[in-house]
Amino acid sequence: MHEILQPEGWAKPVGYANGVAARGKLVFVGGQVGWNGQCQFETDDFVGQVRQTLENIVAVLAEAGAEPRHITSMTWYFTDKAEYLANLRGIGEAYREVIGRHFPAMAAMQVMALVEDRAKVEIQATAVIPE
């Protein structure tokens, strides 16, 4: 469905792709945070917020008829790099449970703050539904 772009001789990345080529209907998911559909945070736990954020992305994708396997890129923003790194195992488990074993092109960065004060993570995603 999508073509993973892996330059010859490069080490294979773990948990993401260096690039993805796709053709079809584009779906752009605005930055989602770890609150529920009523804009209420149910947890301040980092992994819990990641899980809810990913579930929010899947819900938005579904409105376009897309599934997690259609995601071509994600950008992760978090407020604390140390907290992100300390929770990689839990993040990986939440990711696989919500998104599956589909690893799009990704970027991740620490930011000074997010607009929602309680948010610890925000994720933006792009998906392509094949023609």
Side-chain angles (χ1 to χ4, degrees), residues 102-115:
H102 171 70
F103 304 105
M106 290 193 206
M109 64 201 77
Q110 177 177 305
V111 295
M112 188 172 219
L114 296 168
V115 171

mmCIF file with all atom_site columns, all heavy atoms in Angstrom, residues 102-115:
data_model
loop_
_atom_site.group_PDB
_atom_site.id
_atom_site.type_symbol
_atom_site.label_atom_id
_atom_site.label_alt_id
_atom_site.label_comp_id
_atom_site.label_asym_id
_atom_site.label_entity_id
_atom_site.label_seq_id
_atom_site.pdbx_PDB_ins_code
_atom_site.Cartn_x
_atom_site.Cartn_y
_atom_site.Cartn_z
_atom_site.occupancy
_atom_site.B_iso_or_equiv
_atom_site.pdbx_formal_charge
_atom_site.auth_seq_id
_atom_site.auth_comp_id
_atom_site.auth_asym_id
_atom_site.auth_atom_id
_atom_site.pdbx_PDB_model_num
ATOM 1   N N   . HIS A 1 102 ? 2.632  -0.794 12.608 1.00 0.00 ? 102 HIS A N   1
ATOM 2   C CA  . HIS A 1 102 ? 2.766  0.066  11.435 1.00 0.00 ? 102 HIS A CA  1
ATOM 3   C C   . HIS A 1 102 ? 3.629  1.254  11.863 1.00 0.00 ? 102 HIS A C   1
ATOM 4   O O   . HIS A 1 102 ? 3.282  1.959  12.806 1.00 0.00 ? 102 HIS A O   1
ATOM 5   C CB  . HIS A 1 102 ? 1.385  0.540  10.969 1.00 0.00 ? 102 HIS A CB  1
ATOM 6   C CG  . HIS A 1 102 ? 1.456  1.575  9.914  1.00 0.00 ? 102 HIS A CG  1
ATOM 7   N ND1 . HIS A 1 102 ? 1.875  1.300  8.626  1.00 0.00 ? 102 HIS A ND1 1
ATOM 8   C CD2 . HIS A 1 102 ? 1.191  2.903  9.951  1.00 0.00 ? 102 HIS A CD2 1
ATOM 9   C CE1 . HIS A 1 102 ? 1.853  2.420  7.926  1.00 0.00 ? 102 HIS A CE1 1
ATOM 10  N NE2 . HIS A 1 102 ? 1.444  3.398  8.701  1.00 0.00 ? 102 HIS A NE2 1
ATOM 11  N N   . PHE A 1 103 ? 4.749  1.446  11.191 1.00 0.00 ? 103 PHE A N   1
ATOM 12  C CA  . PHE A 1 103 ? 5.699  2.468  11.615 1.00 0.00 ? 103 PHE A CA  1
ATOM 13  C C   . PHE A 1 103 ? 5.962  3.458  10.485 1.00 0.00 ? 103 PHE A C   1
ATOM 14  O O   . PHE A 1 103 ? 6.779  3.214  9.609  1.00 0.00 ? 103 PHE A O   1
ATOM 15  C CB  . PHE A 1 103 ? 6.992  1.813  12.087 1.00 0.00 ? 103 PHE A CB  1
ATOM 16  C CG  . PHE A 1 103 ? 6.757  0.817  13.193 1.00 0.00 ? 103 PHE A CG  1
ATOM 17  C CD1 . PHE A 1 103 ? 6.818  -0.542 12.947 1.00 0.00 ? 103 PHE A CD1 1
ATOM 18  C CD2 . PHE A 1 103 ? 6.433  1.243  14.462 1.00 0.00 ? 103 PHE A CD2 1
ATOM 19  C CE1 . PHE A 1 103 ? 6.592  -1.468 13.959 1.00 0.00 ? 103 PHE A CE1 1
ATOM 20  C CE2 . PHE A 1 103 ? 6.193  0.341  15.486 1.00 0.00 ? 103 PHE A CE2 1
ATOM 21  C CZ  . PHE A 1 103 ? 6.272  -1.022 15.237 1.00 0.00 ? 103 PHE A CZ  1
ATOM 22  N N   . PRO A 1 104 ? 5.252  4.603  10.495 1.00 0.00 ? 104 PRO A N   1
ATOM 23  C CA  . PRO A 1 104 ? 5.424  5.633  9.465  1.00 0.00 ? 104 PRO A CA  1
ATOM 24  C C   . PRO A 1 104 ? 6.685  6.453  9.696  1.00 0.00 ? 104 PRO A C   1
ATOM 25  O O   . PRO A 1 104 ? 7.403  6.236  10.682 1.00 0.00 ? 104 PRO A O   1
ATOM 26  C CB  . PRO A 1 104 ? 4.170  6.489  9.635  1.00 0.00 ? 104 PRO A CB  1
ATOM 27  C CG  . PRO A 1 104 ? 3.847  6.373  11.095 1.00 0.00 ? 104 PRO A CG  1
ATOM 28  C CD  . PRO A 1 104 ? 4.223  4.959  11.464 1.00 0.00 ? 104 PRO A CD  1
ATOM 29  N N   . ALA A 1 105 ? 6.924  7.380  8.805  1.00 0.00 ? 105 ALA A N   1
ATOM 30  C CA  . ALA A 1 105 ? 8.008  8.346  9.026  1.00 0.00 ? 105 ALA A CA  1
ATOM 31  C C   . ALA A 1 105 ? 7.631  9.172  10.258 1.00 0.00 ? 105 ALA A C   1
ATOM 32  O O   . ALA A 1 105 ? 6.468  9.542  10.429 1.00 0.00 ? 105 ALA A O   1
ATOM 33  C CB  . ALA A 1 105 ? 8.169  9.245  7.805  1.00 0.00 ? 105 ALA A CB  1
ATOM 34  N N   . MET A 1 106 ? 8.601  9.430  11.136 1.00 0.00 ? 106 MET A N   1
ATOM 35  C CA  . MET A 1 106 ? 8.301  10.148 12.374 1.00 0.00 ? 106 MET A CA  1
ATOM 36  C C   . MET A 1 106 ? 9.391  11.138 12.721 1.00 0.00 ? 106 MET A C   1
ATOM 37  O O   . MET A 1 106 ? 10.548 10.955 12.366 1.00 0.00 ? 106 MET A O   1
ATOM 38  C CB  . MET A 1 106 ? 8.164  9.178  13.550 1.00 0.00 ? 106 MET A CB  1
ATOM 39  C CG  . MET A 1 106 ? 6.958  8.314  13.517 1.00 0.00 ? 106 MET A CG  1
ATOM 40  S SD  . MET A 1 106 ? 6.756  7.514  15.126 1.00 0.00 ? 106 MET A SD  1
ATOM 41  C CE  . MET A 1 106 ? 5.858  6.063  14.650 1.00 0.00 ? 106 MET A CE  1
ATOM 42  N N   . ALA A 1 107 ? 8.965  12.153 13.453 1.00 0.00 ? 107 ALA A N   1
ATOM 43  C CA  . ALA A 1 107 ? 9.884  13.083 14.093 1.00 0.00 ? 107 ALA A CA  1
ATOM 44  C C   . ALA A 1 107 ? 9.384  13.265 15.519 1.00 0.00 ? 107 ALA A C   1
ATOM 45  O O   . ALA A 1 107 ? 8.179  13.181 15.778 1.00 0.00 ? 107 ALA A O   1
ATOM 46  C CB  . ALA A 1 107 ? 9.910  14.428 13.362 1.00 0.00 ? 107 ALA A CB  1
ATOM 47  N N   . ALA A 1 108 ? 10.293 13.489 16.441 1.00 0.00 ? 108 ALA A N   1
ATOM 48  C CA  . ALA A 1 108 ? 9.926  13.702 17.843 1.00 0.00 ? 108 ALA A CA  1
ATOM 49  C C   . ALA A 1 108 ? 10.808 14.803 18.398 1.00 0.00 ? 108 ALA A C   1
ATOM 50  O O   . ALA A 1 108 ? 12.005 14.855 18.111 1.00 0.00 ? 108 ALA A O   1
ATOM 51  C CB  . ALA A 1 108 ? 10.104 12.418 18.644 1.00 0.00 ? 108 ALA A CB  1
ATOM 52  N N   . MET A 1 109 ? 10.192 15.686 19.187 1.00 0.00 ? 109 MET A N   1
ATOM 53  C CA  . MET A 1 109 ? 10.973 16.787 19.756 1.00 0.00 ? 109 MET A CA  1
ATOM 54  C C   . MET A 1 109 ? 10.392 17.268 21.067 1.00 0.00 ? 109 MET A C   1
ATOM 55  O O   . MET A 1 109 ? 9.196  17.169 21.306 1.00 0.00 ? 109 MET A O   1
ATOM 56  C CB  . MET A 1 109 ? 11.052 17.949 18.768 1.00 0.00 ? 109 MET A CB  1
ATOM 57  C CG  . MET A 1 109 ? 9.720  18.593 18.456 1.00 0.00 ? 109 MET A CG  1
ATOM 58  S SD  . MET A 1 109 ? 9.728  19.512 16.925 1.00 0.00 ? 109 MET A SD  1
ATOM 59  C CE  . MET A 1 109 ? 9.614  18.197 15.746 1.00 0.00 ? 109 MET A CE  1
ATOM 60  N N   . GLN A 1 110 ? 11.290 17.747 21.895 1.00 0.00 ? 110 GLN A N   1
ATOM 61  C CA  . GLN A 1 110 ? 10.879 18.383 23.135 1.00 0.00 ? 110 GLN A CA  1
ATOM 62  C C   . GLN A 1 110 ? 10.555 19.841 22.833 1.00 0.00 ? 110 GLN A C   1
ATOM 63  O O   . GLN A 1 110 ? 11.278 20.504 22.088 1.00 0.00 ? 110 GLN A O   1
ATOM 64  C CB  . GLN A 1 110 ? 12.000 18.325 24.183 1.00 0.00 ? 110 GLN A CB  1
ATOM 65  C CG  . GLN A 1 110 ? 11.639 19.047 25.476 1.00 0.00 ? 110 GLN A CG  1
ATOM 66  C CD  . GLN A 1 110 ? 12.717 18.908 26.526 1.00 0.00 ? 110 GLN A CD  1
ATOM 67  O OE1 . GLN A 1 110 ? 13.104 17.810 26.855 1.00 0.00 ? 110 GLN A OE1 1
ATOM 68  N NE2 . GLN A 1 110 ? 13.188 20.033 27.036 1.00 0.00 ? 110 GLN A NE2 1
ATOM 69  N N   . VAL A 1 111 ? 9.468  20.312 23.409 1.00 0.00 ? 111 VAL A N   1
ATOM 70  C CA  . VAL A 1 111 ? 9.078  21.712 23.272 1.00 0.00 ? 111 VAL A CA  1
ATOM 71  C C   . VAL A 1 111 ? 8.986  22.325 24.658 1.00 0.00 ? 111 VAL A C   1
ATOM 72  O O   . VAL A 1 111 ? 8.838  21.620 25.654 1.00 0.00 ? 111 VAL A O   1
ATOM 73  C CB  . VAL A 1 111 ? 7.739  21.864 22.521 1.00 0.00 ? 111 VAL A CB  1
ATOM 74  C CG1 . VAL A 1 111 ? 7.869  21.396 21.073 1.00 0.00 ? 111 VAL A CG1 1
ATOM 75  C CG2 . VAL A 1 111 ? 6.619  21.118 23.217 1.00 0.00 ? 111 VAL A CG2 1
ATOM 76  N N   . MET A 1 112 ? 9.068  23.619 24.699 1.00 0.00 ? 112 MET A N   1
ATOM 77  C CA  . MET A 1 112 ? 9.040  24.317 25.982 1.00 0.00 ? 112 MET A CA  1
ATOM 78  C C   . MET A 1 112 ? 7.687  24.152 26.684 1.00 0.00 ? 112 MET A C   1
ATOM 79  O O   . MET A 1 112 ? 7.614  24.003 27.893 1.00 0.00 ? 112 MET A O   1
ATOM 80  C CB  . MET A 1 112 ? 9.342  25.790 25.750 1.00 0.00 ? 112 MET A CB  1
ATOM 81  C CG  . MET A 1 112 ? 9.526  26.588 26.980 1.00 0.00 ? 112 MET A CG  1
ATOM 82  S SD  . MET A 1 112 ? 10.110 28.205 26.465 1.00 0.00 ? 112 MET A SD  1
ATOM 83  C CE  . MET A 1 112 ? 11.280 28.508 27.743 1.00 0.00 ? 112 MET A CE  1
ATOM 84  N N   . ALA A 1 113 ? 6.614  24.193 25.909 1.00 0.00 ? 113 ALA A N   1
ATOM 85  C CA  . ALA A 1 113 ? 5.267  24.057 26.463 1.00 0.00 ? 113 ALA A CA  1
ATOM 86  C C   . ALA A 1 113 ? 4.310  23.729 25.334 1.00 0.00 ? 113 ALA A C   1
ATOM 87  O O   . ALA A 1 113 ? 4.606  23.957 24.161 1.00 0.00 ? 113 ALA A O   1
ATOM 88  C CB  . ALA A 1 113 ? 4.836  25.353 27.149 1.00 0.00 ? 113 ALA A CB  1
ATOM 89  N N   . LEU A 1 114 ? 3.154  23.190 25.705 1.00 0.00 ? 114 LEU A N   1
ATOM 90  C CA  . LEU A 1 114 ? 2.064  22.967 24.764 1.00 0.00 ? 114 LEU A CA  1
ATOM 91  C C   . LEU A 1 114 ? 0.942  23.930 25.141 1.00 0.00 ? 114 LEU A C   1
ATOM 92  O O   . LEU A 1 114 ? 0.894  24.427 26.277 1.00 0.00 ? 114 LEU A O   1
ATOM 93  C CB  . LEU A 1 114 ? 1.587  21.518 24.833 1.00 0.00 ? 114 LEU A CB  1
ATOM 94  C CG  . LEU A 1 114 ? 2.631  20.484 24.402 1.00 0.00 ? 114 LEU A CG  1
ATOM 95  C CD1 . LEU A 1 114 ? 2.196  19.076 24.782 1.00 0.00 ? 114 LEU A CD1 1
ATOM 96  C CD2 . LEU A 1 114 ? 2.899  20.589 22.919 1.00 0.00 ? 114 LEU A CD2 1
ATOM 97  N N   . VAL A 1 115 ? 0.048  24.200 24.233 1.00 0.00 ? 115 VAL A N   1
ATOM 98  C CA  . VAL A 1 115 ? -1.018 25.173 24.496 1.00 0.00 ? 115 VAL A CA  1
ATOM 99  C C   . VAL A 1 115 ? -1.882 24.734 25.674 1.00 0.00 ? 115 VAL A C   1
ATOM 100 O O   . VAL A 1 115 ? -2.250 25.556 26.508 1.00 0.00 ? 115 VAL A O   1
ATOM 101 C CB  . VAL A 1 115 ? -1.869 25.401 23.222 1.00 0.00 ? 115 VAL A CB  1
ATOM 102 C CG1 . VAL A 1 115 ? -3.097 26.237 23.527 1.00 0.00 ? 115 VAL A CG1 1
ATOM 103 C CG2 . VAL A 1 115 ? -1.016 26.073 22.149 1.00 0.00 ? 115 VAL A CG2 1
#
